[in-house]
């Protein structure tokens, strides 16, 4: 992914790759209702003749460390998620595959529903006016932050989501 093509408002190429990977992971959560585990990624890549360590996968998803630009690895990931390899290889803004684009609103709605449900459970018995005000605020905030930011592909507290040891 060329650095010159990957910048988005000064975004580092690693962050662009992470955002795109997390979009893919979000789509899987939306489609099947459960997150992709590292073991699934590892097995899918091995079936395509590519190896990946847990640490490398974490740093790719997190957008930290060196930019991963291995075309064989990025192509294999795209094949696993059934998107055109250019999605991860080119890094040009605006080339989001139709399948991912069609799921973005759904993912956004799922996140909003999760947050609203949590707020209702946490706040307990609140007036309808207060609940409506909270819902409006959450909807405004969600509209300001596109769903492709940081994905919750692996829930916090899940062993797959923990920071691995240094590579």
């Amino acid at each position: 992914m060329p650095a010159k093509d990957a910048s988005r408002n000064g975004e580092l190429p690693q962050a662009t790759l992470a955002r795109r990977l997390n979009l893919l992971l979000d789509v899987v959560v939306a489609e099947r209702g459960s997150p992709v585990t590292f073991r699934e990624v590892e097995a899918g890549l091995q079936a395509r003749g590519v190896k990946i360590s847990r640490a490398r996968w974490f740093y790719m998803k997190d957008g930290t460390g060196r930019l991963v630009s291995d075309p064989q690895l990025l192509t294999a990931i795209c094949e696993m998620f059934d998107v055109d390899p250019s999605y991860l290889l080119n890094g040009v803004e605006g080339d989001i595959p139709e399948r991912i684009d069609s799921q973005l609103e759904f993912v956004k709605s799922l996140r909003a529903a999760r947050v609203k449900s949590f707020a209702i459970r946490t706040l307990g018995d609140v007036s309808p006016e207060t609940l409506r005000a909270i819902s409006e605020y959450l909807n405004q905030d969600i509209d300001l932050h596109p769903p492709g930011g940081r994905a919750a592909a692996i829930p916090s507290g899940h062993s797959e989501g923990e920071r691995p040891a240094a590579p």
Side-chain angles (χ1 to χ4, degrees), residues 90-143:
N90 295 343
V92 177
E93 263 324 295
D95 63 347
I96 297 177
E98 185 177 334
R99 177 171 153 248
I100 294 173
D101 192 42
S102 68
Q103 288 286 347
L104 291 180
E105 279 302 314
F106 183 63
V107 169
K108 184 176 168 182
S109 298
L110 286 176
R111 287 181 177 174
R114 241 184 3 228
V115 170
K116 288 176 185 177
S117 174
F118 174 77
I120 290 169
R121 285 191 319 269
T122 303
L123 296 174
D125 194 22
V126 296
S127 71
E129 296 81 24
T130 302
L131 192 55
R132 212 175 345 268
I134 292 169
S135 291
E136 287 176 21
Y137 174 78
L138 290 172
N139 287 336
Q140 290 171 358
D141 186 64
I142 288 168
D143 288 340

Side-chain angles (χ1 to χ4, degrees), residues 37-151:
T37 64
F38 170 74
R39 286 186 184 99
E40 289 175 292
V41 171
E42 182 180 43
L45 291 175
Q46 280 182 347
R48 290 165 175 81
V50 178
K51 291 185 180 187
I52 190 167
S53 68
R54 183 179 301 268
R56 188 173 200 193
W57 178 245
F58 173 83
Y59 292 118
M60 287 175 67
K61 289 188 331 170
D62 198 44
T64 58
R66 291 188 352 224
L67 174 64
V68 175
S69 58
D70 176 1
Q72 185 181 7
L73 172 61
L74 297 175
T75 299
I77 291 171
C78 286
E79 288 173 0
M80 281 179 48
F81 289 99
D82 194 28
V83 296
D84 189 275
S86 66
Y87 176 65
L88 294 180
L89 290 171
N90 295 343
V92 177
E93 263 324 295
D95 63 347
I96 297 177
E98 185 177 334
R99 177 171 153 248
I100 294 173
D101 192 42
S102 68
Q103 288 286 347
L104 291 180
E105 279 302 314
F106 183 63
V107 169
K108 184 176 168 182
S109 298
L110 286 176
R111 287 181 177 174
R114 241 184 3 228
V115 170
K116 288 176 185 177
S117 174
F118 174 77
I120 290 169
R121 285 191 319 269
T122 303
L123 296 174
D125 194 22
V126 296
S127 71
E129 296 81 24
T130 302
L131 192 55
R132 212 175 345 268
I134 292 169
S135 291
E136 287 176 21
Y137 174 78
L138 290 172
N139 287 336
Q140 290 171 358
D141 186 64
I142 288 168
D143 288 340
L144 292 173
H145 301 93
R150 295 278 307 155

